[in-house]
């Protein structure tokens, strides 16, 4: 079954549509990549609330952004449910498309990001009991979906997809368990002392391993594709920032384990997590900065060659947000001002990228351009073809 590149690149269709046709296509061509906008918005709220700065009104602004992310999540869940109910042919085509299927990991991460944001900053508006209940539900559902995506999408890639080259989007389904690992510790203090807390914390550590080892398998393929195949198509160049996701999120998770382990695990393990947070987080954050420089240079090159806005711009948000929270955690455990300033600089970039992506997305929504049918991707790979057995 042939599958065309749907809304993955987020490029508007090259053909004009009448208002009536546009209305019927708005849900039909709504892909799972749209959940990245929820992830990026929630990251702005969560990362900003933990900044080592005393800025009047910052926490209130972050809480308002979290409310926006919650509203976006509810709207997208409704629209995607309508997509599956009314346009199952397109939904199946998305699963059979190797360029789109990995974005099902974004559903998991959107749920987890909004749930974690409720615990970090949303509780200021909804109250702690409601925040705990909301996060518990979103964490459970998001983790389950993330594990299904981490297994199901690679299965589809092996069995049904015809792959023509590695892509950074391959990381999306395997990084979802790392988001669970980083945000699960927020719920640990709200469980009964003893086995309940220990089980959740050790379970998050297991999810850390699931995602980390899968990333170590995928990442060399992505870099090898760049070295042997050359730069990505212009519209897909921002997806290079997706590599920052598992790097920053694993650093965040390691620091969260250290914050939570004291009083939950026996002393030797609690001390071990405290040491691990620094011994693991510092070199990984160093590699993240190296990749940030490489990806940034590739984006500037693509921009000079005419790269315009696409939904892939949302790759500039959540992955960078994980690096902000990772730097914040390292600042707390090392006491180094360098990590505090790194978190601040990265957060400024995050907010700027979020504003650019958000404004262009809102403009595309109001014009209908982003909800039209798929258009051609200049210079991109040929449409992938799925195979069934």
């Amino acid at each position: 079954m042939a599958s065309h590149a749907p809304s993955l690149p987020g490029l508007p269709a090259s053909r004009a549509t009448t208002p009536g046709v546009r209305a019927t296509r708005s849900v039909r061509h709504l892909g799972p990549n749209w959940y990245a906008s929820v992830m990026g918005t929630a990251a702005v709220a969560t990362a900003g609330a933990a900044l080592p700065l005393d800025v009047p009104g910052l926490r209130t602004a972050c809480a308002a952004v979290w409310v926006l992310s919650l509203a976006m999540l509810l709207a997208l869940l409704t629209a995607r449910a309508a997509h599956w109910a009314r346009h199952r042919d397109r939904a199946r085509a998305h699963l059979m498309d190797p360029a789109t299927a990995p974005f099902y990991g974004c559903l998991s991460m959107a749920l987890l990001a909004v749930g974690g944001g409720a615990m970090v900053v949303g509780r200021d508006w909804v109250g702690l009991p409601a925040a705990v209940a909301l996060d518990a539900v979103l964490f459970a559902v998001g983790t389950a979906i993330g594990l299904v995506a981490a297994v199901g999408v690679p299965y589809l890639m092996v069995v049904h997809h015809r792959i023509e080259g590695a892509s950074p989007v391959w990381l999306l389904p395997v990084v979802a368990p790392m988001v669970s690992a980083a945000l699960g510790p927020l719920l640990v203090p709200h469980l009964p002392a003893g086995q309940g807390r220990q089980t959740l914390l050790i379970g998050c550590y297991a999810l850390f391993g699931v995602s980390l080892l899968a990333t170590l398998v995928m990442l060399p393929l992505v870099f090898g594709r760049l070295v042997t195949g050359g730069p990505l198509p212009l519209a897909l160049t921002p997806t290079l920032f997706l590599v920052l996701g598992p790097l920053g999120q694993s650093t965040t998770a390691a620091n969260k384990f250290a914050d939570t382990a004291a009083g939950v695990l026996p002393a030797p393990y609690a001390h071990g997590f405290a040491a691990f947070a620094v011994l693991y987080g510092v070199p990984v954050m160093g590699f993240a900065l190296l990749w940030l420089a490489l990806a940034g240079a590739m984006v500037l090159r693509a921009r000079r060659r005419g790269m315009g806005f696409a939904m892939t711009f949302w790759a500039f948000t959540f992955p960078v947000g994980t690096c902000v929270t990772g730097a914040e955690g390292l600042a707390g455990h090392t006491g180094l001002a360098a990590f505090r300033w790194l978190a601040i600089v990265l957060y400024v970039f995050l907010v700027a990228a979020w504003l650019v992506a958000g404004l262009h997305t809102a403009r595309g929504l109001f014009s209908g351009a982003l909800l039209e049918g798929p258009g051609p991707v200049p210079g991109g790979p040929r449409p992938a073809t799925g195979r069934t057995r």
Side-chain angles (χ1 to χ4, degrees), residues 67-91:
V67 172
L68 175 62
S69 72
L70 177 60
M72 293 169 62
L73 176 64
L74 294 175
L76 268 176
L77 288 174
T78 303
R80 287 287 296 163
H83 172 84
W84 271 94
R86 301 176 187 175
H87 306 289
R88 293 185 181 180
D89 61 322
R90 292 304 305 155

Side-chain angles (χ1 to χ4, degrees), residues 120 181-183 185-186 201 251-261 277 325 333:
V120 174
L183 296 177
L186 295 173
L201 183 57
T251 303
T252 301
N255 283 279
K256 293 298 183 183
F257 296 155
D259 293 337
T260 310
T325 54
H333 286 104

Side-chain angles (χ1 to χ4, degrees), residues 27-231:
V27 176
R28 177 173 175 78
H29 297 290
L30 188 71
N33 57 307
W34 280 77
Y35 285 114
S37 63
V38 178
M39 296 160 52
T41 303
V44 171
T46 303
L51 275 180
L53 286 175
D54 185 16
V55 178
L58 176 61
R59 188 171 179 88
T60 301
C62 290
V65 173
W66 174 80
V67 172
L68 175 62
S69 72
L70 177 60
M72 293 169 62
L73 176 64
L74 294 175
L76 268 176
L77 288 174
T78 303
R80 287 287 296 163
H83 172 84
W84 271 94
R86 301 176 187 175
H87 306 289
R88 293 185 181 180
D89 61 322
R90 292 304 305 155
R92 287 192 294 268
H94 286 169
L95 286 173
M96 291 299 104
D97 188 341
T100 305
F103 280 89
Y104 274 92
C106 290
L107 169 58
S108 166
M109 291 185 280
L111 295 169
L112 293 166
V114 173
M119 293 294 294
V120 174
V121 68
R123 62 184 183 179
D124 295 352
W125 287 26
V126 302
L128 182 59
V132 172
L134 178 61
D135 187 30
V137 172
L138 294 181
F139 177 79
V141 176
T143 300
I145 294 174
L147 289 173
V148 171
V151 175
V153 173
Y155 174 84
L156 290 174
M157 292 170 64
V158 172
V159 176
H160 295 293
H161 295 166
R162 180 170 299 163
I163 306 298
E164 297 185 352
S167 168
V169 302
W170 288 9
L171 294 169
L172 289 172
V174 300
V175 76
M178 188 65 78
V179 180
S180 294
L183 296 177
L186 295 173
L187 289 170
V188 169
H190 302 280
L191 291 176
Q195 287 285 317
R197 294 182 180 180
Q198 293 176 0
T199 300
L200 178 56
L201 183 57
I202 294 300
C204 289
Y205 190 41
L207 292 169
F208 176 94
V210 167
S211 182
L212 178 62
L213 295 177
T215 298
L216 292 177
V217 171
M218 294 289 191
L219 190 53
L221 301 177
V222 174
F223 185 70
R225 154 65 179 85
L226 294 176
V227 173
T228 60

Side-chain angles (χ1 to χ4, degrees), residues 44 313-314 316-317 320 344-360:
V44 171
F313 271 42
W314 285 102
F316 297 137
T317 57
V320 175
I344 293 169
V345 171
L346 290 176
Y347 187 73
V348 170
F349 175 86
L350 169 63
V351 172
W354 176 68
L355 289 173
V356 171
L359 290 174
H360 280 284

